[in-house]
Amino acid sequence: MADSQRHPFLHGLSKHRGAPPTVVVIFGASGDLTARKLIPAVYNLGVDNLLPADFFLVGYGRTEIPDDEFRTVAVDAIKKFSRRELDADVWKRIAPNTSYVAGAYDDKAAFDRLAQHIDAIEKKLGRDIQPLFYISTPPSVFAPILRNLGASGLAARHLGQPTHSKVIIEKPFGHDLKSAQELNQTIQAVFEERQVYRIDHYLGKETVQDLLVQRFANSIFEPLWNRNFVDHVQITVAEEVGVGTRGGYYEQSGCLRDMIQNHTMQLVALTAMEPPGSLDAEAIRDEKVKLLRAIRPLDQEAEIAAGAVRGQYTRGGTRADLMSGYREEPGVDPLSSTETFVAMRLEVGNWRWNGVPVYVRTGKRLPARLTEVAMQFHRPPQLPLFPGTAEGLEPDALIVRVQPDEGLSLRFGAKVPGHTFRVQKASMDFSYESFEEQSPDAYERVILDALIGDPTLFIRADEVGRSWRIVDPVMHYWSGDRRPIPLYQAAT
Ligand SMILES: NC(=O)c1ccc[n+]([C@@H]2O[C@H](COP(=O)([O-])OP(=O)(O)OC[C@H]3O[C@@H](n4cnc5c(N)ncnc54)[C@H](OP(=O)(O)O)[C@@H]3O)[C@@H](O)[C@H]2O)c1
């Protein structure tokens, strides 16, 4: 067992107490996310013996799929997308309890049929079962699904019992502040907040959770984590890929909505929040909201012009590996001004971070796939101790790598061997690969947490509102900006 597994703090972050008997109902079960992530995640939880002994999986969608065929689709998805090979014994435990209900998302009668289907499972089992609804459809049908979960009584099932209904909602959560508030109202009309799990799968990533451990379970980092030592913070979420076949979706979304409002803001919150009083979900989420409140939104045009930039990729690469420009991608308007890159300078107006800029940048078709949080420390006083060498060096930095190779690097100056005091940058590296244990996929973690009722890694209603409040003015400013969008070549 790795040392970190014994650490009491880490134990608090992975409370794998058993889940009650559960039926997971996936809305949009014929879709891409179900095949690529959700079914493989359920399967891998089965491999790790983390599913409840009485576990049922129900697919729901408009496409008519017989139960047998849905099971075949599920096996194919596991073979193709699971991080571990199909183990026939594990699948044999899940398959008999896997079924499918066909119906529209705005059809109350179909939801009544779904309720009867769950009744029948419960009757066969002879005890109450927790329904966990996973809404994995395009956002246009989130609201009808939620309303019908209310109208059919499914949302209030076993309320007041440990087996009460829960709902997981996929991103995007609204397309601006107003629509996010409306979606929250629709949810809160049928579910209590403690039943709601708004997903940001980034929070399911090992290193993102490790940010909390590094900060609060070690005594060496936290004393440095403030304006006295940190010059600035850089948070980068860079993708090598373009929009691929998702051009139609991306045209409606753009980089600001797709990456900044959710994943990037979550990274900012976890990086900069105050230590929570406990590892209780509400204590952590309270601190995240406090931090998001401390970020000054760029409300004035001059502030936006100075503090936010956008760009769109054009054709690039090499002759052998030529990449299309964004406007040439399928489903994209040839005159589109949708941004595929955003960088922003955020200011956190609190005691700890006053005067320390937080730079966030994210985009598609950048030179590398990389997600990291870098704390850049102040330069040491420029004393004439090491003439001619130290001045040109990059300052010390602590870099938390979220992907592709999860780990941590500490960059500092070291003496080059020899007769002079020549200083060169060196780094100490920790890689997650040094653990024997494999990191689970982010979706495994979030589904497991919803099963056991731990909302720590999900977004609370007020958190969503706060991060939209930061992004909204920039979005509105850019949507009214008639100047051509700045362009960058793919892979630069
Ligand atoms: N795919 C990803 O990598 C990914 C990553 C992060 C988040 N998400 C989010 O997860 C959710 C699902 O993503 P997805 O890629 O699986 O979506 P999808 O394949 O486009 O849609 C999922 C299912 O929803 C139904 N559907 C599609 N369009 C619909 C429409 N206009 N009206 C009603 N039903 C419709 C379809 O099922 P039926 O026709 O059978 O009803 C479809 O199979 C989305 O909210 C997405 O933003 C996806």
Side-chain angles (χ1 to χ4, degrees):
M1 177 186 280
D3 277 353
S4 57
Q5 274 198 316
R6 275 184 231 111
H7 198 292
F9 196 96
L10 199 55
H11 267 301
L13 277 176
S14 54
K15 331 164 205 173
H16 290 158
R17 60 192 153 76
T22 302
V23 52
V24 170
V25 179
I26 301 177
F27 293 104
S30 58
D32 175 67
L33 187 71
T34 305
R36 281 196 315 109
K37 294 290 180 185
L38 307 187
I39 288 175
V42 165
Y43 165 76
N44 279 295
L45 290 173
V47 174
D48 290 331
N49 268 322
L50 291 168
L51 292 178
D54 296 309
F55 178 80
F56 296 81
L57 179 65
V58 177
Y60 184 103
R62 298 170 306 180
T63 314
E64 294 276 350
I65 310 178
D67 287 349
D68 276 354
E69 201 180 304
F70 185 57
R71 288 192 275 265
T72 308
V73 169
V75 168
D76 290 346
I78 296 166
K79 284 185 187 154
K80 198 161 168 201
F81 298 113
S82 163
R83 69 186 167 95
R84 290 185 287 213
E85 282 191 8
L86 180 72
D87 175 335
D89 289 338
V90 176
W91 179 241
K92 254 190 236 157
R93 293 203 306 268
I94 301 172
N97 292 349
T98 299
S99 54
Y100 186 88
V101 174
Y105 303 108
D106 56 357
D107 179 3
K108 156 84 168 47
F111 278 68
D112 289 340
R113 271 192 285 113
L114 176 63
Q116 286 157 13
H117 189 73
I118 297 174
D119 287 342
I121 293 174
E122 215 162 47
K123 200 163 165 212
K124 202 168 97 189
L125 191 63
R127 55 193 285 215
D128 285 359
I129 194 163
Q130 153 180 268
L132 174 57
F133 301 108
Y134 196 124
I135 305 186
S136 174
T137 60
S140 55
V141 284
F142 287 180
I145 293 173
L146 289 159
R147 284 193 209 105
N148 273 326
L149 285 174
S152 59
L154 284 165
R157 211 171 165 98
H158 305 314
L159 209 54
Q161 310 291 323
T163 48
H164 66 242
S165 301
K166 295 177 181 144
V167 63
I168 301 181
I169 298 162
E170 258 299 336
K171 73 158 205 178
F173 198 91
H175 53 89
D176 58 12
L177 177 60
K178 187 165 168 283
S179 58
Q181 285 167 338
E182 283 165 5
L183 183 53
N184 269 334
Q185 282 161 8
T186 308
I187 293 170
Q188 286 159 353
V190 285
F191 285 103
E192 294 177 9
E193 183 62 27
R194 69 195 167 97
Q195 297 176 274
V196 183
Y197 294 74
R198 294 173 194 80
I199 239 174
D200 188 327
H201 69 268
Y202 254 59
L203 295 178
K205 288 183 188 287
E206 204 74 67
T207 335
V208 173
Q209 294 157 37
D210 196 38
L211 259 171
L212 292 176
V213 177
Q214 278 157 17
R215 290 192 55 194
F216 306 131
N218 293 298
S219 54
I220 54 171
F221 300 127
E222 189 54 19
L224 307 178
W225 217 264
N226 56 57
R227 68 189 143 78
N228 297 327
F229 293 91
V230 177
D231 182 79
H232 68 268
V233 182
Q234 291 186 31
I235 296 182
T236 307
V237 185
E239 296 181 280
E240 255 180 320
V241 293
V243 290
T245 54
R246 306 190 78 214
Y249 157 78
Y250 206 82
E251 276 287 272
Q252 304 301 316
S253 142
C255 183
L256 201 55
R257 287 190 181 98
D258 191 46
M259 296 301 285
I260 297 270
Q261 181 274 332
N262 38 52
H263 310 321
T264 316
M265 282 302 159
Q266 286 297 319
L267 287 176
V268 173
L270 289 172
T271 302
M273 72 184 206
E274 292 300 310
S278 73
L279 274 185
D280 177 69
E282 293 320 308
I284 292 181
R285 300 200 292 181
D286 284 348
E287 292 305 336
K288 279 163 64 189
V289 173
K290 249 167 68 188
L291 189 279
L292 293 173
R293 278 184 194 286
I295 295 177
R296 296 195 193 98
L298 306 173
D299 281 336
Q300 307 299 325
E301 284 190 10
E303 289 174 327
I304 297 171
V309 293
R310 60 180 173 154
Q312 186 191 75
Y313 66 83
T314 58
R315 186 184 292 209
T318 58
R319 192 171 285 278
D321 184 17
L322 196 61
M323 298 169 214
S324 309
Y326 176 69
R327 291 174 191 170
E328 298 158 335
E329 305 276 22
V332 173
D333 178 350
L335 297 175
S336 173
S337 59
T338 302
E339 78 285 354
T340 60
F341 173 89
V342 173
M344 283 174 77
R345 179 187 193 277
L346 304 174
E347 280 179 29
V348 184
N350 66 13
W351 189 267
R352 183 187 285 264
W353 296 115
N354 192 43
V356 178
V358 177
Y359 298 102
V360 297
R361 61 182 163 186
T362 174
K364 291 198 178 290
R365 282 277 185 244
L366 297 181
R369 173 172 172 256
L370 169 89
T371 300
E372 66 175 35
V373 174
M375 288 277 158
Q376 186 142 316
F377 297 105
H378 292 305
R379 286 177 184 280
Q382 296 295 304
L383 298 175
L385 287 179
F386 312 112
T389 58
E391 292 87 339
L393 286 178
E394 286 178 78
D396 299 344
L398 180 69
I399 299 156
V400 180
R401 298 188 307 269
V402 177
Q403 58 188 23
D405 54 334
E406 299 177 279
L408 183 81
S409 300
L410 186 61
R411 197 177 66 201
F412 55 96
K415 181 184 175 302
V416 179
H419 299 297
T420 57
F421 272 110
R422 211 149 59 79
V423 182
Q424 196 174 301
K425 274 293 143 194
S427 84
M428 286 198 294
D429 283 309
F430 157 72
S431 166
Y432 256 83
E433 283 176 8
S434 59
F435 286 104
E436 284 164 25
E437 295 84 352
Q438 248 193 18
S439 292
D441 184 79
Y443 279 90
E444 291 169 41
R445 179 65 199 252
V446 290
I447 291 174
L448 176 64
D449 282 359
L451 282 172
I452 63 176
D454 182 347
T456 312
L457 302 179
F458 295 85
I459 318 292
R460 211 168 57 187
D462 50 351
E463 250 180 291
V464 182
R466 230 20 244 181
S467 45
W468 273 119
R469 174 68 188 86
I470 297 162
V471 162
D472 229 34
V474 182
M475 219 167 57
H476 287 298
Y477 174 72
W478 283 345
S479 67
D481 189 350
R482 292 285 147 243
R483 288 171 300 178
I485 184 166
L487 304 171
Y488 61 97
Q489 247 187 15
T492 62

